[in-house]
Amino acid sequence: MSKLKIFASVSAAVLLFLAGAAAFLFYHPSSPALPPNEINDASGLNHTVIGEVVSPMTEDEIRAAVKSAKEEGFKIAISGARHSMGGQSMHPDALVLDMLHYDRVLSLDVEKKLVTVQSGVTWRELQEYLNPEGLAVMVMQGPNLFTVGGSMSVNAHGWDLRNGPLASTVESFRILTADGMVRNCSRTENPELFRVVLGGYGLFGVILDATLHVTTNNAYKASVFQIDYHQLADYFLNTILPNADIDFGEADLSIDPKTLLRDVVGVAYTRASDTGRTDALQNEINVSRDRFYFDLSRRFDWGKTLRWRLQIRHEYPQPGATRTRNNIFRTPVERIRYYSPSDSDILQEYFVPPDKFVPFIDELRAVIERRHVNLLNATVRYIAPNDDAFLNYARRDYFAVVLYINVKSSLAGQSAAREMTRELIDLSVEDGGTFYLPYVLYYDKSELAAAYPKIDEFFDMKREYDPGELFMNGFYAKYGK
Ligand SMILES: Cc1cc2nc3c(=O)[nH]c(=O)nc-3n(C[C@H](O)[C@H](O)[C@H](O)COP(=O)(O)OP(=O)(O)OC[C@H]3O[C@@H](n4cnc5c(N)ncnc54)[C@H](O)[C@@H]3O)c2cc1C
């Protein structure tokens, strides 16, 4: 064989090998379409056969669905964007009220900065409505794909340092309860129902519409800080929070195995204008590239090192870059969208008091290393205290440690995830903390009660407002009895 032919054959073989390896590494099946009576949530771990899905567009349709479910003996599970991860928005054989089409903005009072929306509206839709008015949402999650009703029902929180969780920004709402009545709820009208529905996981009725405080869509100047985790709590408490012009701050902990949870990079945003800006809303870019790097970090330790380095270099805003409030509340999520029949990416969140932050992180690192946890992201936020919600996690000021973890779907993989979660819940509770409830239900009732001492009172109130247990979901079915 001539040298040329040998070279051509070897090159072809190498190319074929590389193409095969790339296909093996980066091909992901898309999530399978489910029959109309089967649903799942964002974890992919809660495949459930339900009775039927009803997608109301009017209040009359919601009333009719509730009435007929009651008459026919069906349970009702209420679902928003279904991004909770533990079956909180579903129940076997139930009528699932899919609220996504009940999504109109009903009114805006620019003077009072109050907006009234139907509960199925997503933050993204609301941002599109508010942005031309120079207004913005006060408190919401980092990403904007969730519904207002689903966010109120978990009492969501995000980047905002000043206002605590979402409940603090709710002026009032109307709810359709199990007896077929519509009740107005606020801090002065039906205050008990107001408190229990916020963070109430859809167990008290269907939130129809809500009036929320909104704020000026200010511009903010970014500053990036790179420190050691020992300094992080002090940096938040003594540098960021005392500066009244800084409204947002968040920090990422290293996922690089060599510097795991030790190196920290964070961003703080300082108010740069007090006028309502109408800058174009920015959408996620470079999705395929970032998905590629994210996938490497999901599969390999060297991928975690690489992604952390790239993140430090390219992810954070340039010093002095300005962004509006609406654009800060648009954390990219397409890059992490993932489906696999054998594994899943899940979120968890632990709240720890500032003086326990370092010991908790040391304990967390030990758990991750000992249990070989596939950690994809670790973010730290500050949560201001707020007691508007009855089942409250923001009982004092906390640092929230948000973990994004890849877990195997097999029985052994789920059992490992369960053991890890229970260990972390115990650690956070021992440290005077708690954990966030919209995620996978790996814990048992005693752990829930340790983290939420008022849980039995909460379930008693559910039965008081809904004696026939019409509103049902995986969370109540597992812990409510
Ligand atoms: C990628 C990702 C990022 C996230 N980031 C954050 C974050 O930054 N901060 C944070 O706090 N959380 C975060 N979460 C969690 C998220 O806030 C919750 O899962 C939230 O419930 C999602 O809203 P949803 O519309 O998907 O609600 P769903 O998951 O559909 O429902 C959640 C609960 O609300 C109830 N519900 C929904 N609509 C109504 C209604 N109209 N009336 C009464 N009850 C209702 C449901 O029954 C259910 O119990 C994140 C989740 C994911 C997957």
Side-chain angles (χ1 to χ4, degrees):
M1 214 190 287
S2 73
K3 275 188 179 165
L4 196 64
K5 274 192 177 161
I6 294 174
F7 177 75
S9 314
V10 171
S11 306
V14 168
L15 281 176
L16 211 64
F17 172 78
L18 288 177
F24 170 74
L25 281 177
F26 304 114
Y27 166 73
H28 289 300
S30 46
S31 101
L34 293 173
N37 66 333
E38 294 178 24
I39 59 175
N40 213 324
D41 60 24
S43 69
L45 296 169
N46 291 295
H47 178 257
T48 303
V49 179
I50 48 124
E52 63 170 323
V53 177
V54 175
S55 303
M57 296 179 75
T58 64
E59 188 172 324
D60 282 348
E61 286 170 11
I62 298 173
R63 283 172 189 266
V66 170
K67 187 164 177 280
S68 87
K70 212 170 155 183
E71 284 167 2
E72 289 168 32
F74 281 108
K75 300 293 181 194
I76 297 175
I78 311 166
S79 99
R82 237 179 269 151
H83 273 71
S84 46
M85 294 184 156
Q88 290 85 349
S89 59
M90 57 196 66
H91 185 68
D93 301 325
L95 180 153
V96 172
L97 262 190
D98 161 20
M99 299 301 289
L100 281 172
H101 302 282
Y102 192 66
D103 62 351
R104 284 175 36 225
V105 177
L106 299 175
S107 67
L108 173 67
D109 185 331
V110 177
E111 284 297 299
K112 291 189 180 149
K113 294 204 176 96
L114 286 172
V115 70
T116 302
V117 297
Q118 292 179 334
S119 63
V121 78
T122 60
W123 295 121
R124 184 188 182 93
E125 290 163 335
L126 186 53
Q127 286 182 327
E128 282 161 7
Y129 180 90
L130 293 173
N131 198 58
E133 307 290 337
L135 293 170
V137 175
M138 280 184 86
V139 173
M140 56 181 270
Q141 299 89 333
N144 62 5
L145 32 79
F146 316 107
T147 62
V148 168
S151 304
M152 288 167 62
S153 302
V154 301
N155 194 18
H157 61 92
W159 278 77
D160 187 285
L161 296 167
R162 305 292 166 191
N163 297 296
L166 173 61
S168 67
T169 72
V170 178
E171 174 63 18
S172 60
F173 57 82
R174 290 190 316 132
I175 185 167
L176 173 64
T177 44
D179 55 9
M181 302 275 290
V182 173
R183 292 179 160 80
N184 297 323
C185 298
S186 69
R187 286 173 187 76
T188 51
E189 195 174 1
N190 294 311
E192 182 184 78
L193 194 54
F194 180 83
R195 274 168 63 69
V196 87
V197 167
L198 296 170
Y201 287 84
L203 294 172
F204 296 85
V206 188
I207 301 169
L208 297 171
D209 40 60
T211 299
L212 308 176
H213 291 268
V214 293
T215 188
T216 310
N217 187 32
N218 291 321
Y220 288 85
K221 204 168 262 197
S223 56
V224 176
F225 53 93
Q226 208 166 341
I227 53 181
D228 181 85
Y229 78 110
H230 288 100
Q231 301 161 329
L232 184 61
D234 183 61
Y235 190 75
F236 258 100
L237 297 178
N238 297 318
T239 302
I240 294 185
L241 290 173
N243 183 341
D245 289 333
I246 300 182
D247 282 344
F248 314 109
E250 191 177 80
D252 295 313
L253 303 179
S254 170
I255 55 154
D256 178 351
K258 297 185 201 99
T259 56
L260 185 67
L261 306 181
R262 294 178 201 280
D263 288 358
V264 178
V265 185
V267 189
Y269 282 99
T270 308
R271 212 173 315 123
S273 82
D274 272 323
T275 46
R277 300 271 294 245
T278 56
D279 307 34
L281 294 173
Q282 289 157 5
N283 291 315
E284 189 170 350
I285 54 172
N286 299 324
V287 174
S288 306
R289 183 199 69 187
D290 293 341
R291 194 176 280 166
F292 173 80
Y293 290 123
F294 203 87
D295 207 27
L296 286 180
S297 71
R298 190 183 279 116
R299 285 158 186 257
F300 307 107
D301 276 356
W302 61 263
K304 294 185 189 353
T305 306
L306 175 68
R307 205 189 98 220
W308 176 246
R309 287 190 185 160
L310 289 171
Q311 186 171 324
I312 295 174
R313 202 171 270 202
H314 302 294
E315 189 88 341
Y316 299 97
Q318 293 299 313
T322 55
R323 288 172 86 185
T324 61
R325 187 180 190 102
N326 278 330
N327 276 323
I328 293 168
F329 291 172
R330 289 170 86 81
T331 305
V333 280
E334 281 308 313
R335 65 178 69 174
I336 60 169
R337 207 176 278 283
Y338 176 66
Y339 168 78
S340 155
S342 60
D343 58 282
S344 179
D345 296 345
I346 59 163
L347 271 163
Q348 301 200 332
E349 184 162 353
Y350 301 92
F351 302 100
V352 286
D355 61 326
K356 295 292 181 177
F357 177 72
V358 168
F360 180 77
I361 295 297
D362 288 336
E363 289 158 344
L364 173 63
R365 186 183 311 104
V367 170
I368 288 172
E369 288 176 342
R370 178 165 31 86
R371 294 183 176 273
H372 307 289
V373 176
N374 189 0
L375 178 68
L376 304 175
N377 229 67
T379 302
V380 178
R381 290 172 174 167
Y382 171 81
I383 307 294
N386 173 270
D387 70 352
D388 281 316
F390 180 84
L391 196 60
N392 189 11
Y393 59 83
R395 299 191 283 264
R396 52 160 296 167
D397 59 333
Y398 277 132
F399 283 109
V401 181
V402 186
L403 306 178
Y404 202 49
I405 300 169
N406 179 267
V407 294
K408 300 285 176 216
S409 319
S410 61
L411 282 179
Q414 286 300 293
S415 162
R418 184 170 302 112
E419 293 308 309
M420 173 210 61
T421 308
R422 297 176 68 169
E423 192 173 349
L424 292 179
I425 290 175
D426 291 349
L427 289 171
S428 64
V429 170
E430 272 166 30
D431 285 343
T434 184
F435 71 103
Y436 197 28
L437 298 175
Y439 300 134
V440 187
L441 312 177
Y442 286 134
Y443 44 93
D444 66 20
K445 177 74 187 277
S446 65
E447 281 143 350
L448 176 61
Y452 287 87
K454 292 200 289 188
I455 192 71
D456 281 329
E457 219 182 313
F458 172 82
F459 288 137
D460 286 346
M461 283 163 87
K462 187 265 185 306
R463 286 181 286 269
E464 206 177 292
Y465 283 98
D466 179 13
E469 296 175 323
L470 178 64
F471 296 104
M472 183 56 79
N473 62 34
F475 177 68
Y476 182 71
K478 179 158 183 185
Y479 305 109
K481 305 287 180 174

